Amino acid sequence: MKQNPKFYITTAIHYASGNPHIGHAYENIITDLIARYKRLIGFDVYFLTGLDEHGEKIAQKAQENNLNSKAWVDLIYQKFIDLWKMADISNDGFIRTTDKGHCEAVKKAFSDFYKSKYIYLGQWNSLYCVGCEETYTDAEAIKKPDGLYCKTGHKLITKSEPSYFFTMSKFNEWIKELLTKNKDFIFPANRANELLGTFINDGITDLSVTRTKQSCPWAIDINEDPQHTIYVWIDALLNYITALGYNQDKPDLFKKFWADEQSEVLHVVGKDITRFHAIYWPIMLKCLNLRMPSHILSHGFIMAEDGRKMSKSFNNVIDPVEIIKEYGSDIVRYYLAKEFIIANDNHFSKKKLVELFNSDLANIYGNLVSRFLGMINKYTNGVIVKPDLTKLSANTTHTVAAMESLLDKCPQFINSYNLSGLLANILEIGKIANTYVELTKPWELQKNNQDNEIHVFLFYLANIVRVLTILISPVLTNGSQTIIKQMRFTPEQLSFENIKKYEILFGHQVVKEFAPIYVRYNI
């Protein structure tokens, strides 16, 4: 029996220092859509998301809210879980870096690095941002009258303490070669050029990977030194393999989705943390003698309607929970996927969200389904009559050919992770279908008693609706289910494998009573 190709996709693990925001929702929604579309076209998919739950900032947040660190991350975890349910996120796994299995696996990996002399004890001296959990040089710091600040506006502090360092500098030429020769390792490609110019060409420095337990007790201990805990990146990046059972008793998922070189592995991350995934993570994997991810998809930021970066100080932060409550998950998922170009920074606009809903979902897709159901119930009592297909009009032949041309392009969009292009392509099928109605004029066919012509028209229009529903259901997870019920499509009829088997609808009957799925908003 032929095995389906394997596809492992991950979001970054989100930092549990506060409530989920629209950026978290965006990353998980586009990752969910890629996962769903890969499943649709026959891939065996494992989709992972999760939370990064260790660190000094989290301990501070917990203290500010009169909670211990574990109680705080449990609270934040539930908020993320609730949001993913609202947003119809179809993740297969959810990892928390406080999970016992992950912690033990990370300690083992640290020991492996240490025994192989990739890690050494040194002294860490740095300008440090607690909020970003990043170190800065004097040149990178923003100078203000009252001190030095990071790029996001947090005041920097000077720190000096013993730390274990990972010998990243040894791999400078290797990582340079990886990013230079493997042109499709990072999407968009210009991110690789930015990394080469900013971090690699002048030589990457060794990475501090521990803190003293006194300064950061809320972290994973190491076996080698009771005075130190693991800091951020070894803990965080290893989640992608520990979640699959690496360094644990049950490594089945790891063997299937990571160890197998034929498995496609995609990390979806924000552009601000691309360097950690494209430099530090490959080096760690090389030191563990493990394969590299296939691709890193580096998405841009979501900007506020006022054109500024979202910030609590600007009072322009968008709460994804409130947006989904107001408009529903379908339109939020559709808007973020179709309107936003993954490689770019994009501006969130409620006005554009509503306009897109009205133009695409209400006017094109929803209207098409309602028109079809109205016509088939009027002309053939809701039954798709098997027509004589030996003689087709030029209009029908052209419409089916145009629809199939668009359909054939979809796997290419899916496999290149181009959601905006994919949905624009799918929407064209809806436009073609509505044009088919206007050009065929079934009401005139009825007047002239052209029964076979009506049957041909309804047969192909039903199939176009079926094709459109198959292709858009990964995005419109709620409305598509209602349309499937109204059209009474079966799982067999909705299989991508059967998408061009038009005869599958011979004799099919739709519901007699229906209501519009998407009703226009008044702007």
Side-chain angles (χ1 to χ4, degrees):
M1 183 177 178
K2 185 180 177 181
Q3 286 189 330
N4 290 342
K6 294 184 285 292
F7 181 67
Y8 178 41
I9 184 169
T10 73
T11 67
I13 49 173
H14 309 300
Y15 199 48
S17 58
N19 294 337
H21 55 65
I22 193 66
H24 296 128
Y26 174 59
E27 182 167 302
N28 274 66
I29 285 172
I30 61 174
T31 306
D32 177 67
L33 296 186
I34 294 169
R36 286 177 182 268
Y37 275 111
K38 284 286 195 172
R39 293 188 193 110
L40 178 70
I41 63 174
F43 280 74
D44 184 355
V45 174
Y46 194 87
F47 167 20
L48 177 72
T49 188
L51 287 183
D52 181 359
E53 298 187 345
H54 288 126
E56 186 179 352
K57 183 177 179 181
I58 286 174
Q60 287 184 358
K61 285 288 184 181
Q63 190 174 22
E64 290 169 9
N65 288 273
N66 298 314
L67 294 170
N68 64 48
S69 297
K70 184 61 168 67
W72 170 259
V73 295
D74 286 346
L75 177 68
I76 299 302
Y77 162 76
Q78 192 57 53
K79 291 185 177 184
F80 274 88
I81 290 296
D82 291 343
L83 174 58
W84 298 159
K85 185 176 180 179
M86 287 181 68
D88 292 321
I89 304 300
S90 64
N91 55 294
D92 301 288
F94 191 107
I95 186 168
R96 303 175 64 180
T97 57
T98 53
D99 292 339
K100 183 178 178 181
H102 170 78
C103 293
E104 291 303 315
V106 167
K107 290 171 74 171
K108 289 179 185 177
F110 187 96
S111 294
D112 290 339
F113 292 137
Y114 186 77
K115 289 172 185 174
S116 300
K117 301 189 184 308
Y118 295 125
I119 287 178
Y120 64 91
L121 182 61
Q123 188 72 17
W124 177 58
N125 302 293
S126 183
L127 290 170
Y128 182 65
C129 175
V130 175
C132 299
E133 292 203 320
E134 283 195 51
T135 57
Y136 286 81
T137 64
D138 287 333
E140 292 171 330
I142 298 170
K143 296 175 177 62
K144 294 185 178 181
D146 62 336
L148 299 175
Y149 286 79
C150 77
K151 58 191 174 185
T152 55
H154 301 124
K155 193 168 187 178
L156 300 176
I157 60 176
T158 302
K159 279 200 169 188
S160 178
E161 65 179 44
S163 173
Y164 286 86
F165 287 80
F166 202 114
T167 58
M168 296 291 172
S169 58
K170 287 185 178 181
F171 299 92
N172 196 84
E173 290 307 308
W174 177 81
I175 199 70
K176 184 176 182 179
E177 184 177 5
L178 174 69
L179 296 186
T180 302
K181 290 187 175 180
N182 192 349
K183 298 297 185 182
D184 63 351
F185 183 59
I186 305 175
F187 176 83
N190 67 297
R191 298 271 201 269
N193 296 331
E194 292 168 3
L195 295 178
L196 288 165
T198 307
F199 299 104
I200 297 172
N201 288 341
D202 292 333
I204 55 177
T205 57
D206 291 345
L207 180 68
S208 171
V209 291
T210 69
R211 294 289 180 265
T212 61
K213 187 169 285 188
Q214 183 178 2
S215 67
C216 190
W218 181 242
I220 300 174
D221 296 334
I222 62 173
N223 296 320
E224 289 70 23
D225 191 333
Q227 300 304 315
H228 283 258
T229 57
I230 295 175
Y231 163 73
V232 185
W233 292 108
I234 285 183
D235 177 10
L237 291 167
L238 282 170
N239 94 87
Y240 301 123
I241 55 178
T242 63
L244 299 177
Y246 176 75
N247 267 352
Q248 294 159 78
D249 293 337
K250 296 181 179 180
D252 293 350
L253 287 173
F254 174 76
K255 290 177 181 177
K256 179 178 180 181
F257 286 102
W258 194 281
D260 185 350
E261 292 282 352
Q262 299 304 310
S263 176
E264 182 181 356
V265 177
L266 174 68
H267 295 316
V268 181
V269 302
K271 67 177 184 178
D272 55 332
I273 59 171
T274 301
R275 69 180 170 108
F276 302 107
H277 289 77
I279 300 175
Y280 301 147
W281 180 224
I283 291 173
M284 290 181 194
L285 290 167
K286 180 174 175 60
C287 292
L288 292 170
N289 294 313
L290 297 175
R291 59 153 302 170
M292 300 297 118
S294 309
H295 308 287
I296 296 169
L297 182 60
S298 172
H299 65 77
F301 296 141
I302 294 185
M303 313 298 283
E305 289 187 71
D306 58 14
R308 295 183 293 183
K309 189 174 181 180
M310 291 187 195
S311 168
K312 289 180 181 178
S313 59
F314 296 148
N315 195 31
N316 62 0
V317 174
I318 294 173
D319 182 350
V321 172
E322 294 305 314
I323 289 291
I324 293 173
K325 282 182 179 178
E326 184 174 1
Y327 295 103
S329 66
D330 274 10
I331 182 53
V332 174
R333 288 165 63 87
Y334 185 81
Y335 169 70
L336 292 176
K338 184 169 186 286
E339 188 72 11
F340 286 19
I341 305 301
I342 289 176
N344 300 345
D345 292 342
N346 296 277
H347 293 83
F348 189 98
S349 166
K350 286 187 178 181
K351 182 173 183 290
K352 285 187 177 179
L353 181 147
V354 171
E355 288 174 348
L356 196 68
F357 173 86
N358 286 344
S359 65
D360 291 11
L361 303 191
N363 288 2
I364 296 177
Y365 183 45
N367 182 55
L368 171 65
V369 176
S370 294
R371 291 179 83 184
F372 170 77
L373 290 170
M375 288 185 292
I376 195 168
N377 275 297
K378 179 178 180 181
Y379 299 146
T380 63
N381 201 29
V383 178
I384 299 172
V385 178
K386 182 177 180 179
D388 178 1
L389 300 176
T390 55
K391 293 182 180 179
L392 300 181
S393 68
N395 178 31
T396 295
T397 302
H398 171 76
T399 299
V400 174
M403 183 267 291
E404 288 187 348
S405 176
L406 293 166
L407 168 59
D408 290 342
K409 294 177 183 177
C410 287
Q412 181 181 348
F413 284 112
I414 293 168
N415 289 325
S416 61
Y417 322 128
N418 184 352
L419 295 175
S420 180
L422 173 65
L423 291 179
N425 187 69
I426 292 170
L427 188 69
E428 287 300 314
I429 295 176
K431 292 178 181 178
I432 285 171
N434 280 312
T435 300
Y436 184 44
V437 175
E438 298 305 321
L439 293 178
T440 303
K441 298 181 174 60
W443 46 91
E444 292 186 2
L445 297 178
Q446 185 194 35
K447 283 183 183 177
N448 297 327
N449 297 316
Q450 295 174 273
D451 291 346
N452 190 64
E453 285 80 356
I454 288 177
H455 296 160
V456 168
F457 163 74
L458 292 174
F459 168 70
Y460 280 114
L461 187 61
N463 271 297
I464 296 173
V465 170
R466 183 176 65 90
V467 168
L468 190 57
T469 301
I470 291 170
L471 294 176
I472 208 155
S473 59
V475 184
L476 308 178
T477 51
N478 292 304
S480 65
Q481 291 305 307
T482 305
I483 287 172
I484 287 167
K485 289 178 182 177
Q486 291 185 350
M487 294 292 297
R488 297 181 67 189
F489 287 140
T490 66
E492 182 185 15
Q493 292 166 344
L494 294 171
S495 166
F496 189 80
E497 188 178 2
N498 296 330
I499 199 164
K500 288 186 179 180
K501 293 182 179 178
Y502 305 135
E503 68 278 4
I504 206 168
L505 289 185
F506 285 157
H508 184 76
Q509 182 157 17
V510 302
V511 298
K512 294 187 178 299
E513 296 182 5
F514 59 93
I517 305 302
Y518 297 114
V519 179
R520 285 178 56 87
Y521 280 96
N522 292 320
I523 301 177

